[in-house]
Amino acid sequence: MALKFDTGFDPLYGQGVSVAPDVQRITARNPSPFTFHGTNSYIVGRDTLAVIDPGPDDEAHLRTLLEVIAGRPVSHIFVSHTHRDHSPLAARLKERTGAIVLAEGPHRPARALHIGETNALDASADMAFVPDIALSDGEAVDGDGWSIRTVLTPGHTANHAAFALEGTGILFSADHVMAWATSIVAPPDGAMADYMASLDRLIDREDRLLLPGHGGPVTAPRAFMRGLKTHRKMRERAILQRVREGDRTIPDMVRAIYRDTDPRLHGAAGLSVLAHLEDLTARGLVVTDAAPAIDGIFTPAG
């Protein structure tokens, strides 16, 4: 399918929005070019609840979550990954509810930093986060009338996880798959090879509805994800073509490939190009001195 993004989303700040039986969405008021209208938190259950992705450390968002919770017990807080727009509020919500916090683990890069390399996304990482329970792939957590199964999806971050609401066909896809835009894959936080493998894994599932970390639902998941995969492959081919036609640096490639993209996103675009170049280098299609780097020089293999 041709990849069509859905940007027709009303965040309805300050209230809960029913998106499925016993599932409510609350959107934090933290809009940006990277978060769209803001981060989606989800409340699952009717009597004793689970919260998925409590969001940024924001007083108004905490207040709205507690208003929607409406005094009901919260047994579990699930965190998809440790970017500052998803995990920091977990600590304060735990204090207010006594819930257990669960996630794949603390923040970590997808690979070790190269000599002289800095992590451009350090400021976005919640390094203080440590879950009460580390979740393994396929692990199911049973609650009051609900069961949530972990589906590990590294790529956007090394510790990224999606959560399947058992028996419903609903998958909380966080930042791995979103209807409004592609996910940022930025080394060393994330890795393109991991992202593509995780995407294939979700394509092989039979979920009927994806509820993402930003924006509205993905209502035809397998077709949309096949489109995402095609989009990434096209981007890979465009990068390889630029290298073969003489572009040697990532800024040159970004100017050519992302000429119609908001300039505020060009830094992220450069990291996405680096993610593709890491993969292309590992597969022997592109050559660079030492390890692939944001300021590296890239040439065609052979």
Side-chain angles (χ1 to χ4, degrees):
M1 66 172 286
L3 186 58
K4 295 182 179 179
F5 294 116
D6 181 3
T7 57
F9 176 70
D10 186 346
L12 294 172
Y13 298 125
Q15 59 184 290
V17 179
S18 178
V19 291
D22 296 331
V23 179
Q24 290 186 286
R25 182 187 68 221
I26 300 95
T27 303
R29 195 187 293 267
N30 61 328
S32 78
F34 300 99
T35 61
F36 196 34
H37 289 287
T39 302
N40 293 331
S41 301
Y42 295 94
I43 295 177
V44 177
R46 183 176 302 173
D47 298 318
T48 300
L49 310 175
V51 175
I52 296 176
D53 276 353
D57 189 3
D58 177 82
E59 184 65 36
H61 189 54
L62 175 61
R63 186 165 56 249
T64 301
L65 285 173
L66 293 173
E67 288 171 357
V68 176
I69 289 167
R72 292 173 289 178
V74 178
S75 58
H76 297 79
I77 299 168
F78 293 84
V79 173
S80 67
H81 66 293
T82 43
H83 280 159
R84 288 186 177 276
D85 56 323
H86 287 262
S87 57
L89 198 59
R92 295 179 65 191
L93 188 61
K94 175 183 176 177
E95 287 177 1
R96 299 293 293 270
T97 64
I100 297 168
V101 179
L102 309 95
E104 189 272 354
H107 194 81
R108 66 182 188 280
R111 59 161 173 78
L113 269 67
H114 305 312
I115 295 173
E117 183 183 24
T118 59
N119 186 350
L121 295 185
D122 256 351
S124 69
D126 181 7
M127 303 303 292
F129 176 85
V130 179
D132 298 317
I133 295 176
L135 294 168
S136 58
D137 189 42
E139 182 174 351
V141 176
D142 297 327
D144 182 7
W146 51 262
S147 181
I148 291 174
R149 188 175 299 276
T150 299
V151 182
L152 295 185
T153 49
H156 175 65
T157 60
N159 65 354
H160 195 283
F163 300 110
L165 186 58
E166 294 284 88
T168 68
I170 293 172
L171 183 79
F172 298 92
S173 57
D175 284 9
H176 192 73
V177 179
M178 302 175 288
W180 75 282
T182 57
S183 178
I184 293 172
V185 181
D189 243 31
M192 188 60 67
D194 291 345
Y195 177 86
M196 296 299 285
S198 295
L199 190 59
D200 281 339
R201 183 178 190 202
L202 295 190
I203 290 171
D204 288 341
R205 292 175 54 86
E206 296 183 355
D207 301 301
R208 64 173 182 82
L209 181 71
L210 304 188
L211 297 176
H214 306 275
V218 178
T219 55
R222 295 180 89 177
F224 183 76
M225 288 189 289
R226 289 190 189 104
L228 274 180
K229 183 176 179 179
T230 299
H231 174 82
R232 293 285 186 178
K233 289 294 186 182
M234 290 175 63
R235 183 70 77 211
E236 175 188 285
R237 287 195 292 271
I239 292 167
L240 190 55
Q241 186 65 26
R242 295 309 309 172
V243 173
R244 287 171 174 167
E245 291 184 1
D247 284 359
R248 295 292 173 258
T249 69
I250 288 175
D252 287 343
M253 297 177 210
V254 169
R255 279 190 290 271
I257 297 171
Y258 292 88
R259 57 185 176 274
D260 297 325
T261 299
D262 184 339
R264 292 177 297 174
L265 299 176
H266 277 194
L271 290 169
S272 180
V273 170
L274 174 59
H276 278 289
L277 287 167
E278 283 188 341
D279 190 34
L280 289 167
T281 301
R283 289 155 54 196
L285 297 172
V286 171
V287 175
T288 185
D289 292 338
I294 195 71
D295 58 354
I297 303 297
F298 299 89
T299 57

